[in-house]
């Protein structure tokens, strides 16, 4: 008698159970994978910022000064502007060929300087977590003519801390009317603030000469390890208020640390009613200080380059008063990050 072999197969119920188990495992594993990827991106970002810190020190060793945060002649809001810190740093982040295309005797917004330099991507200026990478866009304000587009980037120089006694006084532009007595307080500035005198071939300016020139290491009396030099800034909400590395105007490649917690860790915001954004969060002078904020796409914090070229990740829960005091190079505050 011939035996009949019965082929065993999965039942539909068993198959559904297996699929369900796989789904649960994937759901459990995915956050861990995403966290690992973000950790790698954050490390890559920190490496960029360390490279910039070392580059800034090499610039100082070569020229005996740090580069200017920006070269800024005139009052708000369409001044003549020339080179800036990110442009002058190019030879020290392996971008000498790009640097030689920038015409120092022409305004920052000249056709050559925009098309040959300002619209180019620089890997060292891009954080892998930033959603704006590779995006060309016209900045929301400034001397930029006819809406010409500039390349987004991820890092801003720390020009100092905000003085909000009279207005949103900052060292990224020449607006003395926003300062007590109409005089910009030099104790509020840091290494990479805007200057009002000729630098590296730019024609001489007069209107904003009171801002002075670039800084020396010896001018930092608060200690280099206690002073912020470069921070992160991006926004996926109002993107034309983002960071543009080559555009020398006010807060687009510089920022100042303000005394309000909304000024660290929040996107700019879509409107004055967007409560998830800095603009829509109650604070002094509405959106103006938000233009000079710091944030990132990292989880619960941002990377910062300090004056000694070290890099530190700082939580959004940091004491904002401590952070803003570290944004000055000679403010007399001996602050240390936890």
């Amino acid at each position: 008698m011939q035996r009949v072999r019965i082929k065993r197969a999965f039942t539909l119920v068993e198959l559904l159970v297996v699929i369900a188990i796989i789904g649960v495992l994937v759901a459990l594993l995915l956050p861990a994978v995403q966290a690992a990827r973000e950790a790698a991106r954050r490390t890559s970002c920190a490496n960029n910022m360390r490279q910039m810190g070392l580059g800034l020190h090499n610039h100082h060793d070569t020229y005996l000064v740090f580069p200017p945060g920006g070269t800024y002649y005139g009052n708000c809001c369409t001044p003549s502007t020339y080179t800036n810190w990110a442009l002058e740093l190019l030879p020290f982040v392996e971008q000498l060929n790009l640097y030689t295309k920038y015409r120092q005797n022409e305004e920052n917004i000249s056709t050559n300087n925009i098309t040959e330099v300002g619209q180019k991507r620089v890997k060292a200026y891009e954080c892998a977590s930033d959603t704006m990478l590779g995006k060309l866009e016209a900045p929301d304000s400034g001397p930029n003519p006819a809406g010409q587009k500039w390349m987004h980037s991820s890092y801003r120089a720390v020009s100092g801390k905000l003085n909000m006694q009279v207005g949103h006084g900052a060292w990224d532009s020449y607006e003395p009317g926003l300062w007590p007595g109409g005089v910009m307080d030099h104790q509020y500035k840091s290494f990479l603030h805007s200057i009002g005198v000729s630098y590296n071939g730019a024609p001489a300016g007069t209107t904003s000469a009171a801002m002075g020139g670039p800084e020396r290491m010896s001018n930092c009396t608060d200690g280099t390890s206690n002073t912020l030099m470069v921070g992160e800034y991006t926004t996926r909400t109002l993107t034309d208020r983002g960071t543009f590395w080559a555009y020398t105007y006010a807060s687009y490649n510089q920022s100042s640390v303000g005394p309000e917690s909304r000024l660290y860790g929040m996107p700019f915001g879509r409107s004055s009613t967007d409560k998830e954004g800095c603009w829509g969060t109650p604070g002094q002078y509405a959106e103006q200080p938000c233009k000079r904020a710091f944030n990132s796409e990292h989880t619960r914090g941002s990377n910062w380059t300090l004056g000694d070229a070290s890099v530190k990740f700082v939580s959004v829960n940091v004491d904002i008063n401590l952070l803003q005091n570290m944004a000055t190079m000679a403010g007399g505050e001996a602050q240390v990050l936890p």
Side-chain angles (χ1 to χ4, degrees), residues 48-306:
N48 284 347
M49 300 188 76
R50 188 171 293 106
Q51 182 182 3
M52 286 188 287
L54 293 173
L56 288 165
H57 276 249
N58 289 334
H59 182 285
H60 189 280
D61 290 344
T62 303
Y63 299 107
L64 304 182
V65 292
F66 287 107
T71 309
Y72 195 102
Y73 299 160
N75 298 316
C76 174
C77 292
T78 56
S80 297
T81 62
Y82 292 86
T83 190
N84 65 47
W85 72 280
L87 289 162
E88 295 303 316
L89 189 57
L90 288 173
F92 302 96
V93 291
E94 301 179 352
Q95 292 291 332
L96 179 60
N97 290 339
L98 185 59
Y99 179 72
T100 58
K101 295 178 182 179
Y102 190 83
R103 296 176 183 172
Q104 297 282 356
N105 63 331
E106 295 182 4
E107 289 195 30
N108 180 250
I109 59 172
S110 74
T111 300
N112 173 82
N113 288 342
I114 293 174
T115 58
E116 294 299 316
V117 183
Q119 294 183 341
K120 307 303 181 184
R121 295 182 67 172
V122 177
K123 186 176 181 181
Y125 297 161
E126 296 183 344
C127 178
S129 298
D130 195 339
T131 59
M132 295 291 103
L133 299 188
K135 182 180 178 64
L136 283 169
E137 192 169 18
D140 183 53
S141 60
N144 188 40
Q148 289 175 306
K149 296 181 178 181
W150 297 74
M151 182 59 67
H152 273 279
S153 56
S154 307
Y155 309 111
R156 290 185 177 182
V158 179
S159 60
K161 71 175 182 179
L162 286 174
N163 186 329
M164 298 173 69
Q165 297 176 52
V166 173
H168 43 91
W171 271 92
D172 56 44
S173 57
Y174 185 64
E175 297 180 88
L178 300 176
W179 293 77
V183 178
M184 298 177 69
D185 191 337
H186 286 257
Q187 288 189 331
Y188 278 71
K189 66 185 181 182
S190 191
F191 293 106
L192 305 176
H193 60 82
S194 285
I195 65 172
V197 298
S198 177
Y199 179 82
N200 199 12
T206 55
T207 307
S208 54
M211 298 179 75
E215 300 293 339
R216 291 183 170 86
M217 183 75 75
S218 58
N219 295 340
C220 177
T221 57
D222 288 348
T224 56
S225 62
N226 302 328
T227 305
L228 304 173
M229 190 154 56
V230 180
E232 295 188 73
Y233 183 85
T234 185
T235 179
R236 64 173 72 181
T237 53
L238 207 60
T239 58
D240 59 5
R241 291 291 339 169
T243 302
F244 302 88
W245 70 270
Y247 185 47
T248 306
Y249 177 67
S251 58
Y252 288 101
N253 75 355
Q254 301 174 60
S255 278
S256 298
V257 182
E260 300 172 341
S261 58
R262 67 178 181 138
L263 301 177
Y264 181 45
M266 300 185 75
F268 185 83
R270 299 172 182 82
S271 68
S272 60
T273 59
D274 178 9
K275 300 304 180 183
E276 294 183 357
C278 179
W279 184 2
T281 301
Q284 199 173 9
Y285 305 116
E287 86 279 12
Q288 286 294 340
C290 297
K291 298 174 182 178
R292 295 167 171 87
F294 285 95
N295 62 45
S296 75
E297 294 286 358
H298 305 307
T299 303
R300 306 299 296 168
S302 299
N303 289 310
W304 297 79
T305 304
L306 301 178

Side-chain angles (χ1 to χ4, degrees), residues 20-43:
I21 292 172
I22 292 173
V24 170
L25 292 175
V26 169
L28 293 173
L29 184 62
L30 191 57
V33 172
Q34 290 175 334
R37 287 177 176 174
E38 169 52 25
R41 289 192 291 262
R42 195 177 96 180
T43 299

